[in-house]
Amino acid sequence: MNIGFDAKRITHNATGLGNYSRFAVNILAAHYPGNQYLLYTPSPGKENLRKQVSETPSVSFRYPASRPFYPKALWRSRGIVTDLKRDGVELFHGLSNELPSGLAKAGIRSVVTIHDLIFIRYPRLYPFIDRQIYEYKFRKACWEAGKIIAVSETTRRDIVNFFGIDERKIEVVYQGCDPAFALRAGEAEKKRVRQTYGLPERFILSVGSIEERKNLLLAVKALKHVDKEVELVAVGRATPYLKQVSAYAGANGLGRRVRFLHGFPFADLPALYQCASVFVYPSFFEGFGIPVLEAITSEVPVIAATGSCLEEAGGPGSLYVNPTDECELAGKLNAVLSDPTLAQRMVAEGKAYSSRFGSEQLAADLMRVYAQT
């Protein structure tokens, strides 16, 4: 089967939707090499991102023909259909919440992945015009797609509730994480990472964009009630919210116990997880929560927030807290940090739970949706 993909995120986004898109294509190419996977993107984008896609005979990139004064955005939303027909594409998968117009008329089956509807749940976090664009694109894609993939049960419920879509049209297919997180780093590698980034012997780790929704401030507040020898290391892209977190840390005598690492290289990330004493992810709301999966796969005890889908990512072996309760988070942190038996049990249960996100299973789930479309 010839399967086309909206690959803009593959070539342009280093995290989030880009990671999901590259992961999906790679596992399909690895486990179902008999298909042709055609990746349609408006430009080659970043070479380092393209190279993260498997170089196999079944995978190839497609770019729009050079046409002066023809906007690439218009090609992606409509003109691409001409190219899909030319290439004999039988099914098109919109990997990032949207689909081009005209697929059904061209006789091309379609699937769209919806990652989250956070812009509806938390509108104050998004500019007005962005919300209007997202609302139009996401709703249109859901109604026009033959099948919808939701990345969690939480997202599936939101699609039904906010867009009025028949739940029978929606399938939940989870995202896995990079295989690198399942590999154990040697002591020499972990020592190198500790020395390179000046990491303490015991630290709490948080990974994700440092933005209001991710709620890093709760972890900083909880740190006041945790052993003073324990530090908090936050890895992620900085936003204006960082100033608020830094100001609170400084005003409460925590400045030296909280450190921020931006632009952290992916190659060092698995070892960083494995150096951590515990991982925290107090986000108010997520579509799935890949860092939680990365952490349990890396054999680190996890404490995450209730209220969205993080229980789906972390499983029953992880601990969960109210995202507004610093004392509850501090209590869970102290329990994990002071009780090796509890920490070891969480690690074992988390590792076992992470096996359900294996690439072979997830690739089979995607192919099942394609066959039903």
Side-chain angles (χ1 to χ4, degrees):
M1 179 165 57
N2 286 353
I3 305 172
F5 297 88
D6 177 2
K8 179 183 177 182
R9 307 295 181 179
I10 287 178
T11 56
H12 290 73
N13 290 58
T15 60
L17 298 178
N19 284 338
Y20 170 81
S21 300
R22 288 182 290 272
F23 177 82
V25 170
N26 282 338
I27 64 172
L28 288 168
H31 297 288
Y32 296 90
N35 297 316
Q36 287 296 310
Y37 304 103
L38 310 179
L39 313 184
Y40 292 85
T41 176
S43 69
K46 301 173 184 176
E47 183 180 7
N48 66 309
L49 298 181
R50 292 197 310 278
K51 286 186 175 180
Q52 292 178 31
V53 175
S54 302
E55 294 185 11
T56 70
S58 64
V59 177
S60 58
F61 284 94
R62 294 288 192 271
Y63 308 107
S66 178
R67 285 181 281 178
F69 311 114
Y70 190 85
K72 291 181 178 179
L74 186 59
W75 173 81
R76 184 167 172 254
S77 64
R78 185 176 298 274
I80 189 176
V81 175
T82 300
D83 295 352
L84 299 178
K85 291 174 64 178
R86 177 200 63 206
D87 296 338
V89 168
E90 301 161 74
L91 180 143
F92 185 82
H93 186 170
L95 293 165
S96 53
N97 307 301
E98 56 187 298
L99 288 171
S101 299
L103 290 173
K105 187 176 180 180
I108 300 171
R109 294 175 289 144
S110 61
V111 173
V112 67
T113 295
I114 300 295
H115 295 266
D116 63 70
L117 299 181
I118 298 173
F119 66 95
I120 296 179
R121 284 185 169 271
Y122 292 90
R124 65 182 180 81
L125 299 178
Y126 297 82
F128 174 78
I129 188 62
D130 288 354
R131 297 200 311 269
Q132 300 307 303
I133 292 171
Y134 297 158
E135 171 90 17
Y136 171 76
K137 286 185 174 182
F138 289 28
R139 184 186 295 272
K140 174 177 175 292
C142 285
W143 280 102
E144 292 183 354
K147 276 285 188 179
I148 301 166
I149 290 174
V151 299
S152 66
E153 289 290 346
T154 299
T155 296
R156 182 190 64 80
R157 289 192 295 269
D158 280 355
I159 295 169
V160 173
N161 294 334
F162 291 131
F163 290 163
I165 301 296
D166 187 335
E167 63 181 10
R168 292 172 297 183
K169 187 178 179 180
I170 309 168
E171 300 290 338
V172 174
V173 179
Y174 291 114
Q175 179 183 354
C177 64
D178 193 284
F181 293 101
L183 303 177
R184 302 307 298 165
E187 289 305 315
E189 174 66 5
K190 289 193 284 187
K191 181 179 179 180
R192 181 191 66 78
V193 168
R194 284 187 185 277
Q195 291 178 342
T196 299
Y197 303 103
L199 301 175
E201 185 62 30
R202 303 177 76 205
F203 67 92
I204 301 162
L205 177 64
S206 177
V207 175
S209 298
I210 302 173
E211 59 183 280
E212 184 178 353
R213 176 171 56 86
K214 303 289 187 180
N215 197 26
L216 181 64
L217 184 58
L218 186 78
V220 177
K221 290 179 176 180
L223 197 63
K224 293 184 299 185
H225 313 291
V226 173
D227 185 337
K228 290 182 173 54
E229 298 300 314
V230 178
E231 297 183 16
L232 172 64
V233 176
V235 176
R237 177 180 58 85
T239 73
Y241 174 70
L242 175 61
K243 293 181 179 179
Q244 180 182 347
V245 177
S246 298
Y248 182 92
N252 288 271
L254 299 169
R256 295 184 178 181
R257 294 179 62 195
V258 181
R259 64 181 68 190
F260 306 98
L261 300 176
H262 312 302
F264 196 86
F266 177 83
D268 290 344
L269 196 53
L272 177 66
Y273 272 106
Q274 293 173 39
C275 288
S277 301
V278 59
F279 180 80
V280 295
Y281 203 69
S283 178
F284 286 112
F285 202 88
E286 295 291 326
F288 179 60
I290 287 297
V292 169
L293 178 56
E294 292 172 348
I296 63 171
T297 303
S298 300
E299 302 184 21
V300 184
V302 168
I303 304 173
T306 58
S308 60
C309 61
L310 297 180
E311 292 93 338
E312 295 180 61
S318 299
L319 301 179
Y320 302 93
V321 300
N322 184 316
T324 65
D325 193 334
E326 66 185 82
C327 292
E328 184 182 14
L329 176 55
K332 295 288 175 66
L333 283 169
N334 286 327
V336 175
L337 291 167
S338 64
D339 188 346
T341 301
L342 171 61
Q344 290 168 8
R345 184 174 75 245
M346 292 173 66
V347 165
E349 293 182 8
K351 184 68 173 178
Y353 183 78
S354 71
S355 65
R356 68 178 56 198
F357 302 99
S359 64
E360 184 174 2
Q361 178 60 56
L362 298 181
D365 290 343
L366 287 173
M367 290 304 301
R368 173 177 50 81
V369 175
Y370 294 167
Q372 294 174 353
T373 303

